[in-house]
Amino acid sequence: AEHQHARYNPLRDDWVLVSAHRVKRPWQGQLEKPPPEDVPRWDPNNPLCPGATRANGEVNPQYEGTFVFPNDFPALQPDAPEPGDSGHPLFRAAAARGVCKVMCFHPWSDLTLPLMSLAEIRAVIDAWAELAAELGASYPWVQIFENKGAMMGCSNPHPHCQVWASSFLPNEARLEDQTQRQHLSQHGVPMLLEYAEQEAHRKERLVVENADWLVVVPYWATWPYQTLLLPRRHVCRLQDLHEGERDSLASIMQRLLIKYDNLFEVSFPYSMGWHGAPTGPYLQEDCGHWQLHAHYYPPLLRSATVRKFMVGYEMLAQAQRDLTPEQAAERLRSLPEVHYRQKAK
């Protein structure tokens, strides 16, 4: 806890430098603005609200639950042409096709997932699974991700996520496919299934758990309060979850996100995303080395206004963190599971 050391990340086959003593250093750098607390519930000028007009002129329906629509500014399109041959191996290009969708979690702009009911969160999970199955029928990779808060690049306060399906395996997916396949080959058990069992037994990095799921600050965490959400049984894809597992997932997500908000009593920013076995042509292959999981990457370090910057050494050498995963987990674990805004009421 007091001396620097490096930790190995078997999921990415890389290392992180842990320098816990550095968290004591004074901070005279940039201070972030806390997220606004006065977001209007409905705004006709907000393109994600029910009944609002989006940039392409389409009018949203008066939706009352989740709402999915094609991204008006997609990073991937299904009919992109093949790139030309550069004539040299140092200038390679490959086709990149796909579709991008946006999913609103709720019709109200002033709600976030931790403040939604369990039934509303369960509806989000069901919509995620439906999209993963629908797009995964033809595309090899379906990336569900949420950027929450302006600090994480979110340009709209309305509760929503994005779903990008691609004709290729992105870098992180390819890497996790390789490391998990190698671990199963060498040890005879899926990596993250074995890891979840170890963390459930050791408990020092455990944040929350229930009968079907556990959340830990991973041993190799890079971001200060990074967490990993894992199922207890072997499951490859989000759409494979049973009814009861979806209910318990809604519960553990709510508990985790309430703790996040309670940490600095602010709507906690993060980027999160689901990783599961590839789809499309991979549906016909044995993907038993995969274990479904979700990554949460929050940037805040010391307070609602001081964040962790991935610059300098992190960009040029390797990742580095200023408090141990065990310290982060203990702090999150000790936080109440009643949201600070609801407690105030």
Side-chain angles (χ1 to χ4, degrees), residues 81-158:
E82 290 278 350
D85 185 0
S86 69
H88 194 282
L90 291 178
F91 301 93
R92 295 169 60 189
R97 301 184 180 95
V99 296
C100 299
K101 294 182 180 290
V102 176
M103 188 179 96
C104 295
F105 297 152
H106 196 280
W108 296 354
S109 292
D110 59 343
L111 275 190
T112 55
L113 279 171
L115 293 169
M116 289 166 54
S117 70
L118 288 176
E120 290 167 338
I121 299 173
R122 168 63 196 267
V124 170
I125 293 167
D126 287 340
W128 280 343
E130 183 178 342
L131 279 171
E134 173 192 333
L135 297 173
S138 54
Y139 286 102
W141 189 255
V142 180
Q143 183 59 65
I144 299 168
F145 65 97
E146 178 194 5
N147 294 324
K148 182 189 175 196
M151 198 182 301
M152 295 307 292
C154 183
S155 60
N156 192 304
H158 196 93

